[in-house]
Amino acid sequence: MSPAALTPELTLTAGAVLGILLGSWLPRHRQWVVRLLAALACLVGLTATAAAIGGAPQLVFGGSYAVDTATNAGRVIVLAATLLTICLSIDTVGSHPRETEFYVLMLLAALGTIMLVGATDLLLLMAAYLLASIPLYALAGFAKDALGTEASLKYYLMGALLGVIMLTGITALYGAGRSTGYATLAQTLPSGPPAAVAVGLVAVLAGLLFKIGGVPAHFWVPDITEGASTPVAAFVTTVPKIGGLIATYRLVAEALPAAGVNWPLLVAMLATASMTLGNLAAFFQDTVRRLLAYSTISQVGYLLLAVTVATRSEIALPALLFYLAAYAVTNLGAFAVVAALPHAPNLADYRGLARRHPGLAAALVVCLLGLVGTPPTAVFLGKLEIFSAAIDGGYTWLAVVAVVNTVASLFYYLRWIAPALVAAPETDSEKVLAPAGRWPVLGAYTAAAASLALGVAGGVVLPLVSGPSLL
Amino acid sequence: MLSLIVFLPLAAAAVLAAVPASAGKRVFTGSWVVVSAVDLALVVAAWIGYAPGMGLAYEQRLPWIPSAGVSYHVGVDGLSLPLVAVTAVLFLACAVHSLRQTHRVKSFALLFLFLQTVSLGLFTALDLILFFVYFDLSIVGMYFVIARWGHGNARRSALTFFLYTFLGSLALLLGFIGLSLAAEPHTFDIVELARADPLAGSGARGALVLLAIGVGLAVKTPTVPFHTWLPPAHTDAPAAGSAILAGVLLKMGTYGFVRIAMPLLPAVWRQYAAVVVVLGVVSVLYGALVALAQEDFKRMVAYTSVNHMGYIVLAVGAAGLAAGSDEQARSLAVTGAVTQMISHGLLTGALFLLAGVLHDRAASYDMGSYSGLATTAPAFAGVTGLVVFASLGLPGFSGFIAEFQIFTGSLVSATIATALALLGILITAGLLLRALHRVFLGALRVPGSPGAAHDFTDLKPSETVSIMPLLALAIVIGVLPRFLLDVIEPSAATLIGVVSS
């Protein structure tokens, strides 16, 4: 194998190591150098990935890591999302005593997420899970305040518990299939003991569900989203999903295609539960962050549609990858608006936004309607693809459930849009709607524009995610 | 040419968006009127260049999302060209009507220009996804119109409107996906799908696809029992918003029947045409009866829309009934349906703008609190009277031509249903005349000033200039319908040919 195939991963590693070394020597007001380094690492990784797109799919690391269209797409989405999160966090952690640690942890989490995307071996999957989780536990409690610490502790306990369960599952699958490599498992599992395979699958899925924040492993999502700082919340609700979902897809499509377990039905139930419970819980939230938290839980449900029909529809993988990209920019855009208005935690505080900051209001409307899936935003195209895949794969009922949920979700997104449009009493909105700085605003504009561009220019992007894949 | 017509308002909106709101409202209303007028001129030019019977004209096709089978495909034929024209006319009328608008003029003008692009785009779209994009954006645009410029319980009405029609649009999307997946290779192109007829003889699957598409279109139309969003949305929207909602947006549903449901699913349509006929008749009667019970002028007009849309549903249903093999009659029904879309667009648009006059003067639509307005506002009374007579289908107006064709065309294949629907005309005639009587005759009474007679000013120039052309067009169509029917008839005959085979 050639190390060149892993340039993006190596760049992130180098960025993290260099960053921590550099940060130890830099005075506090010069730590922006590390931020620059982190951004640079992402950019180099993006360039390397762009160069690798379209190459022949290959397995590296003795067959435990795949470099194919799905991995490349995952890399691009994770790196771009990390870059956008760095933009959001500049005003929050600028000149913070531990600014260096913040960015290094973020790079490591991004690296772990990318490893999740490419892993084709259960043990590498477990290692990636840990690398993608542990930095985030620390980031969640970064501010050292009561809410953040509690959130961080809850996040850690859930992660540790489900990680152990996942490890148990890996053991069971290893016992049943005599291997941890997906390629071998695909051949051995169908003849393995069905009960062990089922237990192993459910346990491994438990860990991955924790990563993506899907029901029933979703309890940490609202606490983190409310307790951690906004950039961390944005990162945690967006980036790990990319890794977790592609990893789940790989697991079911590569290791279990013919296993006796009815995993499509299991995933379909999880999808239904995620979108329905997420939506129902979001209905009457009054703080924007909790609303976004439950909205991300419901989005996982739509994304799981593609996993359900992983082996039944050829368009499932492009649909998943495109939806992930669309979701990432749109969700980060909504969080960017929240980050730009730190003094407006409640829905009612957004009264008069359209009057005071028309640009931010426009970005908010684009992102929220984007999350609903209104054309011509990117999520619309993602939903079109994912619904098509579900119907194509014979899961029409699931597509109908998703449609009903989409309509229900509209209700709470509009509860946020509506106050932004009405005029506010002049006096207090001055202070409440004071923007934090120009970086989050820039992030919001970028994300909203990207969401629209990705939707309109979907014809250019879709072929990139439909390329040759090992799946 | 078509793309220019469609995107001119949006381009103008983009330019105007860069102008600061402090430039004064004249800049925005003025350019809005000019842009709408230019757009209408372009549509007229397109109409002149369209030879009846030439099928699809001004076609343009560019790849958009080739891997998903989506393309930017536009074109017009006899079914869509009249609707494009009526859209351009109504938007110009709204622009003129809003010349006196004072509340957030800039965003109002921008939003309407955006809505104009969306509406024109929908009627020219020949790709299902393109159609859907415009369909959804029209909902978004109208939501903002109602929520920001509406009155009464505007936010609630806007939310109901959005939730309801969005549910419909997603059902539509599922149906579109089902259609596209059935075709090999997968495509969303309307022309290709019509040629391939992918769901012929597919049994339950075809029925499900038609159900999804039918529900989506029925919500937008609206047909009983999917009409409940309509009255509050109409009542609380601003005058121009109601006019566009009734005149243009409702037509998106009925247009969908003749553009998508019938030609793309001909066999399934024939199979379930009886259901459509029944829904149509129920809408006709129910809409008329509920309208009869209304005290609120705007709400009454909203329910007459349910009634008028019911005629269209009846006609397209009757056109699919295999029982009557008389192709000419069924073609007549479709022609009547399209004519009714045009006629209803013009007349209801005018009625809602007139209702805006009521609200503008005395902030109330309650018919019980007005009386004798004909004495102080004779022009207003006269115009309203004419529009009401046109709307109830008196000969000499467009409504008569439309309804006559619908009934003649449907009678052969759906005799009992048509006979029942005729009762609807009687009821609407009664209720509209009663409304005229209550508001305009008798002693003068205007709400807002108990005791003394309130001053009720007659039509202002901008109101006259915006409403009169709509009425004039309705009369021209009523007296000289050939210029319109010549365009519609060949396309209607083609459509019936597709549905029959």
Side-chain angles (χ1 to χ4, degrees), chain A residues 109-155:
Chain A
L111 175 63
T113 307
I114 293 182
M115 301 288 287
L116 274 174
V117 169
T120 55
D121 186 286
L122 289 173
L123 289 179
L124 188 63
L125 183 74
M126 190 65 217
Y129 171 89
L130 292 174
L131 183 56
S133 301
I134 294 169
L136 293 179
Y137 304 148
L139 276 181
F142 194 74
K144 286 192 183 167
D145 54 354
L147 264 181
T149 313
E150 189 194 326
S152 171
L153 192 66
K154 198 163 180 182
Y155 190 28

Side-chain angles (χ1 to χ4, degrees), chain A residues 375 380 385 410 414 421 456 459, chain B residues 64 68 132 136-137 144 159 162:
Chain A
F380 162 66
E385 289 285 302
L410 194 58
L414 285 181
L421 297 179
V456 174
Chain B
W64 182 17
F132 180 82
D136 244 19
L137 286 179
F144 288 119
L159 184 64
F162 205 142

Side-chain angles (χ1 to χ4, degrees), chain B residues 185-236:
Chain B
H186 301 340
T187 177
F188 285 100
D189 193 84
I190 292 179
V191 179
E192 277 179 27
L193 284 171
R195 205 177 296 136
D197 191 8
L199 286 167
S202 62
R205 186 161 179 198
L208 276 178
V209 168
L210 180 63
L211 179 70
I213 292 180
V215 167
L217 296 173
V219 170
K220 189 92 176 182
T221 300
T223 308
V224 174
F226 305 111
H227 66 287
T228 44
W229 61 268
L230 179 84
H234 269 314
T235 314
D236 296 337

Side-chain angles (χ1 to χ4, degrees), chain B residues 10-365:
Chain B
L10 190 66
V15 173
L16 283 179
V19 180
S22 55
K25 75 182 196 88
R26 296 226 156 267
V27 178
F28 298 105
T29 49
S31 17
W32 179 15
V33 171
V34 170
V35 171
S36 299
V38 171
D39 216 32
L40 178 60
L42 286 172
V43 172
V44 170
W47 185 300
I48 293 170
Y50 181 85
M54 71 193 281
L56 284 170
Y58 307 112
E59 257 189 284
Q60 191 183 3
R61 191 170 177 185
L62 300 167
W64 182 17
I65 311 170
S67 56
V70 180
S71 60
Y72 176 82
H73 190 177
V74 294
V76 285
D77 63 0
L79 302 176
S80 47
L81 190 55
L83 283 163
V84 170
V86 86
T87 305
V89 169
L90 269 175
F91 272 97
L92 179 59
C94 286
V96 175
H97 188 85
S98 306
L99 275 176
R100 298 189 316 110
Q101 175 91 18
T102 50
H103 186 52
R104 294 202 211 105
V105 180
K106 179 183 171 184
S107 25
F108 196 70
L110 294 186
L111 201 49
F112 269 80
L113 287 170
F114 166 77
L115 267 174
Q116 184 170 2
T117 286
V118 167
S119 310
L120 292 169
L122 184 125
F123 294 125
T124 56
L126 288 178
D127 184 278
L128 292 177
I129 293 303
L130 195 60
F131 181 92
F132 180 82
V133 167
Y134 291 130
F135 194 89
D136 244 19
L137 286 179
S138 75
I139 301 173
V140 175
M142 191 45 78
Y143 168 79
F144 288 119
V145 169
I146 301 176
R148 281 193 84 172
W149 286 273
H151 35 65
N153 206 345
R155 269 171 66 184
R156 195 184 171 81
S157 303
L159 184 64
T160 316
F161 163 76
F162 205 142
L163 287 180
Y164 230 111
T165 46
F166 202 76
L167 176 66
S169 83
L170 285 173
L172 201 59
L173 182 62
L174 278 186
F176 288 175
I177 293 175
L179 259 177
S180 130
L181 287 176
E184 205 54 58
H186 301 340
T187 177
F188 285 100
D189 193 84
I190 292 179
V191 179
E192 277 179 27
L193 284 171
R195 205 177 296 136
D197 191 8
L199 286 167
S202 62
R205 186 161 179 198
L208 276 178
V209 168
L210 180 63
L211 179 70
I213 292 180
V215 167
L217 296 173
V219 170
K220 189 92 176 182
T221 300
T223 308
V224 174
F226 305 111
H227 66 287
T228 44
W229 61 268
L230 179 84
H234 269 314
T235 314
D236 296 337
S242 303
I244 293 301
L245 183 55
V248 180
L249 265 53
L250 299 192
K251 307 301 169 302
M252 295 180 175
T254 50
Y255 172 71
F257 283 115
V258 294
R259 170 63 65 212
I260 294 166
M262 292 172 78
L264 301 194
L265 295 156
V268 197
W269 183 265
R270 276 202 303 277
Q271 200 178 348
Y272 294 96
V275 181
V276 182
V277 168
V278 170
L279 279 179
V281 176
V282 172
S283 290
V284 165
L285 294 177
Y286 181 85
L289 286 173
V290 179
L292 188 62
Q294 297 306 316
E295 280 297 314
D296 183 308
F297 185 78
K298 244 181 154 180
R299 206 168 249 276
M300 178 194 79
V301 179
Y303 276 109
T304 61
S305 292
V306 176
N307 160 276
H308 281 116
M309 293 293 108
Y311 297 130
I312 299 178
V313 175
L314 166 69
V316 293
L321 277 184
S325 55
D326 186 350
E327 291 218 355
Q328 206 185 346
R330 292 155 68 202
S331 165
L332 191 62
V334 172
T335 311
V338 178
T339 316
Q340 173 77 332
M341 294 183 210
I342 310 301
S343 160
H344 181 262
L346 294 170
L347 295 171
T348 312
L351 268 181
F352 277 119
L353 292 181
L354 287 164
V357 174
L358 279 183
H359 189 268
D360 193 45
R361 308 286 194 277
S364 168
Y365 298 119

Side-chain angles (χ1 to χ4, degrees), chain A residues 245-289:
Chain A
L245 277 156
I246 301 181
T248 315
Y249 192 101
R250 260 192 215 286
L251 177 73
V252 296
E254 277 186 45
L256 301 159
V261 204
N262 191 358
W263 56 264
L265 187 64
L266 174 68
V267 179
M269 302 306 256
L270 291 171
T272 308
S274 279
M275 51 192 160
T276 313
L277 291 182
N279 275 334
L280 290 181
F283 265 10
F284 296 105
Q285 297 300 334
D286 285 319
T287 62
V288 291
R289 290 217 215 159

Side-chain angles (χ1 to χ4, degrees), chain A residues 157-201:
Chain A
L157 285 175
M158 283 283 283
L161 174 69
L162 290 165
V164 171
I165 294 180
M166 185 169 163
L167 203 51
T168 318
I170 289 174
T171 317
L173 285 182
Y174 176 60
R178 296 282 153 214
S179 168
T180 54
Y182 289 180
T184 321
L185 285 176
Q187 278 149 27
T188 51
L189 282 185
S191 52
V197 176
V199 169
L201 170 68

